[in-house]
Amino acid sequence: MSTPEAKTPLLEVRDLVKHFPIRKSLFGKARARVHAVDGISLDIAPGETLGLVGESGCGKSTAGKVILRLIEPTSGSIRLEGRDITALGAGDMLAVRRQMQVVFQDPYSSLNPRMPAGEIVGEPFINYGIGGASERRDRVAALFRKVGLRPEQMARYPHEFSGGQRQRLGIARALALGPKLIIGDEPVSALDVSVQAQVVNLLMDLQAELGLSYLFIAHDLAVVEHISHRVAVMYLGKIVEIAPRRSLFGQPQHPYTEALLESVPATRPGLRRERKTLTGDVPSPIAPPSGCRFHTRCPYAIPRCSQEEPLLHAVGEGHQVACHLR
Ligand code: SF4
């Protein structure tokens, strides 16, 4: 899979921060803050997939929701096609939402069980006042075909579909308004392995056909390696490494990335990976460690690591890492 040529980014995120205040009472003063996302910057080009990986609780899902403006950022900026959408009001965001859609992990909980599948997929057309009843039906039928479902299945209810088919419904609904960017929040994690491959291949086919960009949030590195052009690794609210897929999986530079890769079995013949589990618990995001946030678990830590925060810097073509030793 070749990386899309460098173009003006579709999405530009700069210094994005999301802290959640912890209060004793509803209107009380914040006693502490959860540092869920702590100053991340990333770009996604048209037609590009950026994988966003990290352990559970690293802030990757929160980052996706903040980019979508489903939750408000504490600070930083989000630009879509050059337009700053960080502080747009609800009316202006309505138009922006046509361009940015989401596919969630659990298709069952994101599909209304009391609505026929055709109505679920066609709901965005009603919300945006697009077409009359028969045009909407034709559009929904076309979306069903596009995601590998049959238009005859439009009258069925979500429980009558398999897990993979339900995720296809979620994708069809996300495609309805012709978005340019889809944020997948663990979109295949709840599916069986064989079904995961089918849904990932569907997403890749749709990208090739429609020129979509994806922010693909996942903890499964094998899936991320398969679908992504570039990959960003998050640890405790920070991006610690970002690189083209080949460099990240072939020459990981950050000790945390190394540890993540070592913790999964090799999926390619000839690539031997020693199975090691990342040791130690992820520190609390309420009081992240000083300096490098990974220093409490890093086997290479030196005294400087607990005192000074390493900044992302270039170590190769498009490859950046935040580590004092690289
Ligand atoms: Fe490890 Fe230090 Fe590098 Fe952090 S800066 S990853 S603690 S060596």
Side-chain angles (χ1 to χ4, degrees):
M1 180 175 34
S2 60
T3 305
E5 283 171 38
K7 298 175 196 161
T8 308
L10 175 72
L11 177 76
E12 297 166 87
V13 172
R14 294 290 174 270
D15 304 318
L16 195 67
V17 172
K18 180 63 193 178
H19 291 171
F20 293 100
I22 301 173
R23 304 176 202 279
K24 239 184 182 161
S25 62
L26 190 57
F27 300 108
K29 210 173 153 204
R31 288 185 303 153
R33 289 173 185 279
V34 176
H35 297 235
V37 176
D38 227 352
I40 67 165
S41 297
L42 54 86
D43 291 344
I44 303 182
E48 183 184 42
T49 300
L50 178 69
L52 187 58
V53 301
E55 289 166 287
S56 166
C58 70
K60 56 191 190 304
S61 286
T62 303
K65 291 190 180 83
V66 176
I67 291 168
L68 285 160
R69 294 273 321 275
L70 296 177
I71 49 182
E72 293 301 314
T74 303
S75 62
S77 69
I78 306 154
R79 286 180 176 272
L80 190 71
E81 293 190 302
R83 182 185 186 193
D84 191 339
I85 63 163
T86 325
L88 288 185
D92 288 329
M93 270 311 290
L94 209 60
V96 171
R97 290 207 192 287
R98 292 187 68 155
Q99 308 291 336
M100 283 201 300
Q101 291 288 316
V102 62
V103 176
F104 290 109
Q105 173 178 358
D106 180 0
Y108 202 50
S109 68
S110 63
L111 305 176
N112 185 338
R114 285 184 289 277
M115 274 172 90
E119 285 184 27
I120 292 172
V121 171
E123 209 177 13
F125 298 134
I126 294 176
N127 294 344
Y128 280 80
I130 296 170
S134 101
E135 185 191 337
R136 285 201 297 268
R137 215 172 15 255
D138 290 347
R139 284 183 182 234
V140 171
L143 284 166
F144 266 59
R145 283 190 209 95
K146 202 172 268 307
V147 299
L149 296 171
R150 286 175 286 110
E152 306 88 83
Q153 295 172 303
M154 283 161 56
R156 292 192 190 169
Y157 287 83
H159 72 270
E160 297 175 87
F161 291 86
S162 68
Q165 288 175 325
R166 284 198 288 265
Q167 197 53 298
R168 287 172 192 267
L169 288 174
I171 293 167
R173 185 177 55 184
L175 290 177
L177 298 172
K180 293 186 174 162
L181 172 69
I182 291 184
I183 296 189
D185 188 359
E186 301 272 8
V188 298
S189 306
L191 305 175
D192 292 343
V193 173
S194 60
V195 181
Q196 281 187 2
Q198 292 166 13
V199 173
V200 165
N201 288 338
L202 170 66
L203 288 169
M204 292 173 78
D205 289 347
L206 290 169
Q207 181 172 59
E209 183 187 340
L210 306 171
L212 295 167
S213 300
Y214 296 134
L215 177 61
F216 193 90
I217 300 167
H219 66 274
D220 184 332
L221 292 168
V223 173
V224 168
E225 183 176 13
H226 188 66
I227 197 172
S228 304
H229 297 101
R230 289 186 302 127
V231 180
V233 180
M234 269 187 90
Y235 185 75
L236 267 183
K238 300 257 183 200
I239 290 179
V240 297
E241 184 162 9
I242 185 163
R245 173 181 56 119
R246 271 181 212 284
S247 325
L248 191 114
F249 284 90
Q251 288 127 12
Q253 297 292 314
H254 198 281
Y256 178 60
T257 312
E258 272 178 18
L260 279 183
L261 294 181
E262 282 166 357
S263 68
V264 293
T267 52
R268 281 173 287 164
L271 180 65
R272 285 174 59 83
R273 278 182 189 144
E274 191 189 341
R275 286 206 74 178
K276 274 194 221 157
T277 318
L278 202 53
T279 55
D281 293 331
V282 181
S284 166
I286 296 173
S290 59
C292 173
R293 293 183 176 191
F294 190 53
H295 83 256
T296 54
R297 302 169 81 194
C298 180
Y300 311 107
I302 55 175
R304 182 183 174 198
C305 300
S306 58
Q307 293 152 14
E308 192 185 322
E309 183 180 344
L311 302 177
L312 278 173
H313 58 275
V315 289
E317 180 88 39
H319 195 150
Q320 291 185 297
V321 64
C323 173
H324 291 312
L325 299 187
R326 300 290 194 268

